[in-house]
Amino acid sequence: MTPDSSSSVYSPSLSGLGLLRGLKCAVLGGGGFIGTNLCQALVAAGAQVKAFGRSVSFPTALAGVDWTPGNFQDGSALAQIVEGCEIVFHLISSSSPATSNQNPVADLKANTLGSLNLLNLCQQYRVRKVIFISSGGTVYGIPKQLPIAESAPTDPICAYGISKLAIEKYLALYYHLHGLDYLILRVSNPYGRFQTASKSQGVVAAFLSKAINGDLLEVWGDGQVVRDYIFIDDVIAALIKAIDYSGQPRIFNIGSGVGKSINQVIDDLEILLNRPLKRRYQPKRKVDVPVNILDIALAQKLMGFQPEVAWMVGLQKTLHWLTQGGLHNL
């Protein structure tokens, strides 16, 4: 059994019960980490799914999905995906926090302008709702209070976070001008199956793959940077809940609500693997905020969201997936 097969599927109680039967969905960025898991969950729940993106890392994982490769800047290709869909999941991003500051102009054109074109198409084809994955790890910048609530100041220190925030504002504008419904999920740091380190994101996937191979783990700074990690199944559960959620507010933090330093992550990987791991500390990066822990109380209260996969359980699941064949894709 290979890890990219359709049997390697999101499987909480929703899965396979036909709760979304016949719902027509488009997943932009469907070939990526979150997108692959989301497509599997939607298909298992009975939805009709079209997926779009530059490439797909695990083709057989998208069994039952109408996959179309394409560029986010290609309006005609995008129109074919959006037409006829009720729900559009916008997961596409052409950059990462670590790379976006290298060329903010390119980041703006690729992500913000591309998203505006998407919203125009959603309006044109009368899409019922756009569900957008924003970045709970970057839109707030350096926090003044922990945990970080949705009402906290938004002062990103990377172009990636600025683009995400701009797209959030345009979603609100299109709702105001055209009545295009939307929901924004500010996701923290997801990890789990189908995650690769190819976009300079994904500490857990990167560290685990290196640890399995006996390679050195490179840490930016002193390892005290704190992040909020959430297992992919919990992210997908939130995305599914977002379909039927209505009303205000339209922005929710999605995370575990618990912070772990990079050093703690490595310590826990050592426990998981039952051996010490080699570390090398590099100079810190300007793109990294010192701490990010999300307040998820609002999503718990209004969306019924609850992270269910414990940290060490999620690590074990990720390790199992990697050792069953996912490692060759990292």
Side-chain angles (χ1 to χ4, degrees):
M1 185 76 66
T2 58
D4 61 325
S5 71
S6 59
S7 62
S8 180
V9 65
Y10 165 88
S11 57
S13 58
L14 167 77
S15 190
L17 297 182
L19 299 181
L20 303 179
R21 188 160 307 283
L23 184 70
K24 296 178 179 179
C25 300
V27 180
L28 308 183
F33 165 43
I34 297 177
T36 300
N37 283 281
L38 175 60
C39 284
Q40 286 194 337
L42 290 170
V43 169
Q48 298 178 30
V49 183
K50 294 194 286 186
F52 177 85
R54 286 171 296 180
S55 62
V56 55
S57 299
F58 304 93
T60 59
L62 296 185
V65 174
D66 182 3
W67 165 258
T68 301
N71 191 308
F72 193 38
Q73 310 307 311
D74 185 345
S76 60
L78 204 57
Q80 293 179 33
I81 302 300
V82 172
E83 185 177 9
C85 285
E86 302 165 73
I87 306 294
V88 170
F89 293 91
H90 179 7
L91 316 180
I92 283 184
S93 179
S94 65
S95 65
S96 70
T99 63
S100 64
N101 285 352
Q102 297 171 9
N103 194 337
V105 173
D107 187 80
L108 173 71
K109 289 180 178 178
N111 295 311
T112 308
L113 184 58
S115 296
L116 269 173
N117 291 333
L118 170 64
L119 294 184
N120 283 329
L121 289 170
C122 289
Q123 177 198 351
Q124 177 183 343
Y125 290 111
R126 300 184 181 278
V127 167
R128 175 157 67 87
K129 191 174 195 176
V130 178
I131 298 171
F132 175 56
I133 289 281
S134 187
S135 173
T138 64
V139 299
Y140 296 110
I142 300 173
K144 297 176 174 58
Q145 184 175 339
L146 293 171
I148 308 168
E150 291 87 348
S151 57
T154 47
D155 298 304
I157 60 172
C158 63
Y160 177 91
I162 292 172
S163 289
K164 292 287 190 181
L165 197 57
I167 295 166
E168 289 186 11
K169 298 297 185 183
Y170 279 116
L171 282 162
L173 176 65
Y174 272 62
Y175 174 74
H176 173 72
L177 294 178
H178 310 294
L180 177 61
D181 197 10
Y182 71 94
L183 195 71
I184 295 163
L185 302 184
R186 290 175 174 170
V187 178
S188 58
N189 290 70
Y191 69 98
R193 65 188 168 279
F194 302 127
Q195 185 176 45
T196 70
S198 61
K199 290 183 65 178
S200 302
Q201 288 179 283
V203 163
V204 172
F207 280 1
L208 258 180
S209 61
K210 287 180 179 293
I212 293 168
N213 288 326
D215 296 335
L216 191 68
L217 306 188
E218 294 193 345
V219 180
W220 300 102
D222 60 7
Q224 294 304 315
V225 165
V226 172
R227 293 292 180 267
D228 181 336
Y229 298 95
I230 180 171
F231 190 64
I232 186 61
D233 283 0
D234 289 328
V235 176
I236 300 307
L239 283 163
I240 299 297
K241 286 180 180 294
I243 295 173
D244 290 328
Y245 172 85
S246 61
Q248 294 287 354
R250 285 186 166 83
I251 299 176
F252 290 101
N253 286 337
I254 300 296
S256 69
V258 178
K260 290 188 177 295
S261 72
I262 297 296
N263 286 332
Q264 286 177 298
V265 171
I266 299 175
D267 289 346
D268 288 341
L269 292 180
E270 290 180 332
I271 294 171
L272 181 68
L273 297 168
N274 195 30
R275 57 182 169 85
L277 302 175
K278 296 177 289 185
R279 319 178 190 194
R280 181 168 64 195
Y281 293 87
Q282 305 277 29
K284 68 179 182 179
R285 304 180 299 183
K286 289 186 176 180
V287 72
D288 293 322
V289 299
V291 59
N292 181 274
I293 306 170
L294 298 183
D295 184 341
I296 59 173
L298 199 62
Q300 289 173 310
K301 178 181 178 180
L302 299 181
M303 285 184 64
F305 165 74
Q306 183 62 45
E308 295 183 354
V309 181
W311 166 244
M312 292 302 292
V313 173
L315 287 185
Q316 180 62 58
K317 288 176 178 286
T318 306
L319 174 64
H320 176 75
W321 178 77
L322 285 168
T323 55
Q324 292 301 304
L327 189 60
H328 74 277
N329 287 284
L330 294 173

